[in-house]
Amino acid sequence: MDELREAVERAELVDGHAHNIVALDSSLPFLSCFSEASGKALAHVPSTLNFKRSLRDIARLYGSDLSLEGVQQYRLDSGIEIITKICFKAAGISTVLVDDGLVLDKMLGTDILPCAGRILRIERLAEDILDQGIKNGIPWTMDTFTDNATKVVGLKTIAAYRSGLEINPNVTQKEAAEGLAQVLLAGSPVRITNKHLIDYIIVRSLEVALCFDWPMQIHTGFGDKDLDLRQANPLHLRNLLEDRRFLDCRIVLLHASYPFSREASYLASVYHQVYLDFGLAVPKLSVHGMISSLKQLLELAPLKKVMFSTDGCAFPETFYLGAKRARDVVFSVLRDACNDGDLSIDEAVEAVADIFAENAKKFYGIGTAVRSDTLLKLDNDVRKEVNSTQQDVVLVRVLWVDASGQHRCRVVPRKRFDSIVKENGLGLTCASMGMSSAMDGPADETNLTGTGEIRLIPDLSTRCKIPWAMQEEMVLAYMHSKPGQVWDYCPRETLRRLSQLLKQEFNLEMNAGFENEFYLLKSQLRDGQEEWVSFDTSRYCATSSFDAASPILHEVVNSLHFLNIDVEQLHAEAGNGQFEIALRYTTCTKAADNLIYAREVIRSVARKHGLLATFMPKYALDDIGSGSHVHISLSENGENVFAASDRSSSRHGMSKIGEEFMAGVLHHLPSLLAFTAPLPNSYDRIQPNTWSGAYLCWGKENREAPIRTACPPGVPDGIVSNFEIKAFDGCANPHLALAAVIASGIDGLRRHLSLSDPVDENPDILRDKLQRLPVSLAESVEALAKDTVLEALLGEKLLVAIKGVRKAEIKYYSENKDAYKKLIYQY
């Protein structure tokens, strides 16, 4: 699926239907960006799925506070031209066709948009003509429609809003004249609602459209409350579509005709002149709604007849959201079509180009107007489908990961979750972030006790059905001291905050991709006692080992795909019964969430098959250890800026920004280990000659270095696209560990740190010249205690708790030498 995903990410976007943008001081409420509601109904918009999802997307794009107020302040501070530029650059839209017939307060011209043509709204034009005629005494004539021919690429009707789609193609001029007289009696400004007159205008417009070979866009399906949805079903258009005069007049059904998407698909399949556009349905619906609506369009409709648009209106953000969600949804739908056998990958890739650009170029005749040089790769932040409306869901798991890296959850009935918990959260003891792997109670020196309570607030963007337990859902949570007030010890908030700081200071976003190494163990009895032993004894990349585990691995991959977590590759590792599953890179916050869910999937599927999967760093002291290596890159507006622009611009193949960031990580690596290698057992793994990185150095494609730069296939020779941190294992809390990585990188950027020469041989050969990384958790905690930079960036309270938990781990495992063996049950 990598080829398909890349095609979607890089696709040129031709926006076939949108509207003008308004000035920042327009009276139009910004909440209109998220809904078709108006008036008092706008007060309920913040509780919609689209608002909650879209606000996060916009805040992430701007690097603003995650609140409506924070986004609005950023808009005011930046100005309309800047935010428009940001939104269109991130969206990757090269061309927009604008329906400027929707008149808005303080509406700006189309020069602020990459506009290639005008969609002429015929009702608005007719009203303008009548208004002008009343003012100047000029009689109304249909010839006026042709006056705009030089800029127009199509016509549009909003009959669904006025008199419905059951258009009479045989309306008489007498009936129209009676309707006109009725309209004129109401005076100016004119608003045409008479059905006979509207039908007549549409018929005459179709005649004009045929003359100029213009298509006709028709609003179908949902809209604001002025519309009677019962009259917006495209099946009402049958008489018009059957009229022999207009068989060659191309018709575009807008907005996926939602909720009549299947009806629209049918019409496009049996009428050669009918085409489909899915703007507005994407992005206004829930994720599930968007995906199901597009799937319904494609049930019968030819792929060459389906077109993208944003229906962007008033706010630049609507264009960005429409483009972002369209990429996500199109990928999800075409991926499923490939998995179902409907399409091959090559056919799906061709469909991507057609849906996003090629169909519209041919349809509207705008091939020469497209400015593809403005395109920018859009960050692929595929979100999970929201399945919360599924009636078969009984329970919801609310998950968090504590300071010792253990996955924990509270479970509530779905009804209670939907009615209370999703807004107000769940109560949890403050001691929850002071627990070590050895004790379910607060460790000494954490400043956390059993007194006091916090709230687990679900992040609904992570809510998903559990593929191995279909009557349950799971959702990740933030920790608040009270609803709306973030707790200083919250891991997910810490990573979000550091990510925002990186964006604000340097306009950068850190991406991460994890490699999950784990052992599969099977139970056997020895002397009446159960013990867990290796699943098999095959070696690195052994086909026999993959065959033995194939049923389990297939189920794991399918479950991950169900959760929209993309697997790049998997194989047997060097240990007995050891495997690795590599996940595709994404934004670091998303990558951390995906890692938690991936661990849940792997452990649960293994358990289902009677096995135990463990991510503990050193399951067997005489065998190879398991890491959770992470690949790190930097992007600016969705484009990788870690890599050098060419080989001559950098001695190491990375940009100056990339070198400074990585130098910061290398500089802080001894104290970083307290986050990435959080248990004494972690240091049994970090040993020389085990590809785990035991010395403070870096290397180019050197797997014995703790940090190595990587040049994957497809990257020009000598250029590196990312770096890998090998001293990272499955006991780490991924949010805290990645937050510490960002903090280290920020320090490197602020101080313009540079890298030492790379080590291109086994560092152990140079052990007399190189500094050894901490050989124990005690040494890394000592390094962390001296690291004032990490303390300042991560927060003093959090650092006190982390050091307290780590000291408890050191004490317990030093006093209980065999206790590490029980870690297989916890990690």
Side-chain angles (χ1 to χ4, degrees):
M1 294 296 172
D2 287 347
E3 183 181 355
L4 176 59
R5 181 179 293 282
E6 184 174 359
V8 170
E9 289 175 350
R10 296 183 177 277
E12 171 187 356
L13 300 190
V14 173
D15 188 348
H17 176 250
H19 306 276
N20 296 68
I21 288 172
V22 299
L24 290 179
D25 59 348
S26 169
S27 62
L28 193 66
F30 184 57
L31 280 175
S32 302
C33 177
F34 309 99
S35 174
E36 292 294 291
S38 60
K40 292 182 178 180
L42 281 172
H44 299 287
V45 169
S47 64
T48 63
L49 294 178
N50 179 50
F51 174 85
K52 293 178 183 296
R53 179 187 69 235
S54 298
L55 187 67
R56 282 190 295 271
D57 289 339
I58 296 171
R60 186 179 297 113
L61 174 67
Y62 290 160
S64 66
D65 289 340
L66 183 53
S67 66
L68 183 61
E69 295 75 17
V71 168
Q72 289 179 301
Q73 188 60 51
Y74 183 92
R75 301 178 88 247
L76 290 173
D77 293 342
S78 301
I80 190 64
E81 291 187 0
I82 295 298
I83 62 172
T84 300
K85 180 179 180 181
I86 291 172
C87 288
F88 273 84
K89 197 172 184 182
I93 296 173
S94 67
T95 304
V96 180
L97 303 183
V98 177
D99 163 21
D100 57 5
L102 178 60
V103 179
L104 305 167
D105 179 50
K106 298 190 177 179
M107 187 169 76
L108 302 178
T110 58
D111 55 325
I112 198 171
L113 302 171
C115 181
R118 182 184 182 198
I119 301 295
L120 191 63
R121 185 183 294 212
I122 59 176
E123 290 86 359
R124 181 64 190 174
L125 176 60
E127 290 164 350
D128 287 344
I129 293 169
L130 291 174
D131 277 331
Q132 193 64 33
I134 291 172
K135 181 179 179 181
N136 300 324
I138 300 173
W140 175 65
T141 169
M142 291 300 296
D143 292 339
T144 313
F145 278 115
T146 62
D147 291 345
N148 298 278
T150 55
K151 294 182 179 180
V152 172
V153 295
L155 304 180
K156 177 186 174 182
T157 175
I158 55 168
Y161 274 97
R162 304 295 179 87
S163 56
L165 295 182
E166 197 167 355
I167 296 161
N168 176 15
N170 298 310
V171 61
T172 66
Q173 188 166 358
K174 179 181 177 183
E175 290 172 324
E178 291 173 351
L180 174 60
Q182 185 184 74
V183 168
L184 294 176
L185 283 175
S188 184
V190 172
R191 177 175 168 81
I192 301 174
T193 57
N194 180 273
K195 176 170 170 47
H196 291 317
L197 181 56
I198 289 175
D199 290 352
Y200 188 81
I201 291 171
I202 290 173
V203 171
R204 299 283 80 81
S205 297
L206 289 173
E207 293 173 352
V208 173
L210 281 171
C211 293
F212 288 93
D213 192 27
W214 290 335
M216 172 73 81
Q217 294 183 348
I218 301 180
H219 182 112
T220 60
F222 73 136
D224 64 44
K225 68 178 183 179
D226 287 343
L227 175 146
D228 184 345
L229 189 59
R230 295 168 297 181
Q231 298 300 317
N233 188 327
L235 293 181
H236 289 307
L237 293 169
R238 187 176 187 275
N239 287 338
L240 187 68
L241 298 176
E242 291 283 346
D243 194 293
R244 299 183 64 84
R245 292 172 294 169
F246 307 125
L247 291 180
D248 292 325
C249 189
R250 293 167 294 142
I251 302 293
V252 187
L253 305 182
L254 296 175
H255 313 319
S257 298
Y258 180 84
F260 310 111
S261 301
R262 282 197 168 99
E263 288 85 342
S265 179
Y266 163 73
L267 293 175
S269 72
V270 297
Y271 289 101
H272 75 92
Q273 74 269 41
V274 174
Y275 293 73
L276 308 176
D277 179 298
F278 55 83
L280 187 62
V282 179
K284 287 294 195 295
L285 304 179
S286 71
V287 174
H288 176 77
M290 289 186 282
I291 291 173
S292 64
S293 182
L294 184 56
K295 283 185 175 181
Q296 288 173 13
L297 287 185
L298 296 184
E299 285 177 359
L300 289 171
L303 291 167
K304 298 288 186 182
K305 284 189 168 188
V306 179
M307 292 179 283
F308 157 82
S309 78
T310 63
D311 196 37
C313 179
F315 309 102
E317 293 84 355
T318 58
F319 292 83
Y320 167 66
L321 293 171
K324 177 178 176 57
R325 288 298 158 191
R327 292 184 195 269
D328 295 347
V329 170
V330 167
F331 171 76
S332 179
V333 170
L334 295 182
R335 176 198 63 199
D336 289 351
C338 291
N339 288 335
D340 292 341
D342 285 335
L343 294 175
S344 68
I345 293 295
D346 288 343
E347 289 167 337
V349 169
E350 180 182 357
V352 169
D354 287 340
I355 291 170
F356 280 133
E358 297 305 317
N359 292 344
K361 285 187 196 177
K362 296 172 185 175
F363 189 79
Y364 294 104
I366 56 173
T368 58
V370 174
R371 294 177 288 178
S372 59
D373 58 305
T374 65
L375 296 180
L376 185 69
K377 181 181 177 182
L378 180 66
D379 173 51
N380 183 41
D381 187 15
V382 177
R383 299 287 181 188
K384 301 175 181 68
E385 291 189 34
V386 178
N387 297 302
S388 59
T389 58
Q390 296 294 325
Q391 294 302 308
D392 58 341
V393 172
V394 177
L395 300 173
V396 181
R397 303 181 190 182
V398 182
L399 278 68
W400 75 96
V401 180
D402 66 15
S404 66
Q406 295 180 85
H407 292 203
R408 301 180 186 266
C409 75
R410 288 279 185 85
V411 185
V412 294
R414 180 184 62 83
K415 185 175 181 180
R416 175 175 171 77
F417 182 90
D418 288 334
S419 62
I420 297 175
V421 174
K422 70 179 183 182
E423 294 291 339
N424 301 301
L426 290 168
L428 187 69
T429 174
C430 291
S432 59
M433 280 299 288
M435 297 177 181
S436 70
S437 65
M439 184 174 66
D440 283 340
D444 295 337
E445 300 184 42
T446 60
N447 283 349
L448 295 170
T449 69
T451 301
E453 186 170 88
I454 61 167
R455 308 295 293 177
L456 285 176
I457 304 296
D459 178 354
L460 296 181
S461 72
T462 68
R463 187 179 182 180
C464 56
K465 213 167 186 179
I466 298 178
W468 63 90
M470 295 297 281
Q471 285 190 307
E472 296 182 32
E473 292 177 327
M474 58 184 175
V475 62
L476 295 171
Y478 284 103
M479 293 176 170
H480 287 197
S481 54
K482 59 183 180 180
Q485 185 173 318
V486 175
W487 195 40
D488 292 331
Y489 302 85
C490 177
R492 296 184 81 241
E493 171 59 24
T494 301
L495 178 56
R496 189 204 68 80
R497 178 172 56 79
L498 268 296
S499 298
Q500 186 177 25
L501 180 62
L502 181 65
K503 178 75 173 180
Q504 288 174 338
E505 282 199 31
F506 303 101
N507 196 32
L508 296 175
E509 190 165 44
M510 188 177 85
N511 302 307
F514 283 97
E515 299 172 3
N516 289 277
E517 293 178 341
F518 59 95
Y519 277 87
L520 286 178
L521 309 178
K522 60 184 178 182
S523 175
Q524 69 176 24
L525 289 177
R526 177 176 295 179
D527 299 328
Q529 299 291 321
E530 182 186 50
E531 66 176 11
W532 292 92
V533 298
S534 299
F535 174 73
D536 71 356
T537 57
S538 299
R539 308 309 298 170
Y540 176 71
C541 285
T543 56
S544 59
S545 185
F546 189 88
D547 282 339
S550 181
I552 301 163
L553 298 176
H554 273 279
E555 188 169 345
V556 166
V557 171
N558 287 337
S559 294
L560 292 173
H561 283 170
F562 180 89
L563 297 172
N564 282 331
I565 299 174
D566 294 310
V567 175
E568 292 213 319
Q569 60 177 310
L570 58 158
H571 60 267
E573 258 297 347
N576 293 328
Q578 189 184 33
F579 296 86
E580 177 183 300
I581 295 180
L583 306 180
R584 181 176 174 81
Y585 81 93
T586 183
T587 58
C588 61
T589 50
K590 179 75 168 177
D593 291 348
N594 285 351
L595 181 62
I596 292 170
Y597 279 166
R599 292 174 183 170
E600 288 290 306
V601 166
I602 292 166
R603 283 198 289 249
S604 298
V605 171
R607 190 179 303 116
K608 176 181 174 182
H609 288 266
L611 301 176
L612 188 150
T614 180
F615 297 88
M616 71 173 288
K618 197 73 168 178
Y619 148 70
L621 298 184
D622 60 349
D623 205 342
I624 201 74
S626 289
S628 187
H629 310 160
V630 61
H631 289 257
I632 300 294
S633 63
L634 299 172
S635 62
E636 183 176 6
N637 299 324
E639 188 167 319
N640 188 321
V641 293
F642 181 84
S645 57
D646 58 68
R647 281 179 292 181
S648 63
S649 64
S650 170
R651 60 187 180 124
H652 299 311
M654 66 188 87
S655 65
K656 185 175 185 294
I657 287 173
E659 178 176 352
E660 290 178 357
F661 188 93
M662 194 176 103
V665 175
L666 183 63
H667 175 76
H668 289 279
L669 192 56
S671 49
L672 266 179
L673 290 186
F675 295 92
T676 64
L679 294 180
N681 184 254
S682 301
Y683 299 82
D684 293 327
R685 169 184 168 263
I686 303 175
Q687 298 292 330
N689 304 306
T690 59
W691 289 12
S692 59
Y695 296 91
L696 187 60
C697 64
W698 73 281
K700 297 179 178 180
E701 298 289 10
N702 186 348
R703 285 172 169 77
E704 275 292 344
I707 294 180
R708 75 171 177 104
T709 53
C711 180
V715 176
D717 185 40
I719 302 297
V720 297
S721 66
N722 65 87
F723 68 94
E724 179 188 31
I725 303 174
K726 301 186 73 67
F728 199 123
D729 65 47
C731 296
N733 180 312
H735 293 93
L736 290 178
L738 290 180
V741 171
I742 293 180
S744 302
I746 287 175
D747 184 46
L749 291 169
R750 285 175 174 175
R751 295 198 288 146
H752 303 293
L753 297 181
S754 59
L755 289 167
S756 57
D757 291 334
V759 172
D760 295 325
E761 55 188 319
N762 186 342
D764 197 41
I765 298 174
L766 306 173
R767 56 185 173 273
D768 294 335
K769 300 179 181 179
L770 295 175
Q771 177 184 335
R772 181 73 159 86
L773 282 177
V775 298
S776 67
L777 181 57
E779 288 189 14
S780 65
V781 171
E782 183 180 352
L784 180 61
K786 299 175 182 178
D787 199 323
T788 57
V789 170
L790 290 191
E791 180 179 288
L793 287 170
L794 295 173
E796 181 182 358
K797 290 182 180 179
L798 177 61
L799 264 291
V800 168
I802 294 297
K803 288 182 285 188
V805 170
R806 301 296 182 261
K807 290 176 182 178
E809 308 279 17
I810 295 165
K811 183 176 186 297
Y812 179 80
Y813 291 104
S814 65
E815 295 173 353
N816 300 273
K817 298 298 184 183
D818 290 333
Y820 78 93
K821 296 177 182 179
K822 295 183 179 180
L823 293 174
I824 59 173
Y825 302 106
Q826 294 161 262
Y827 300 97

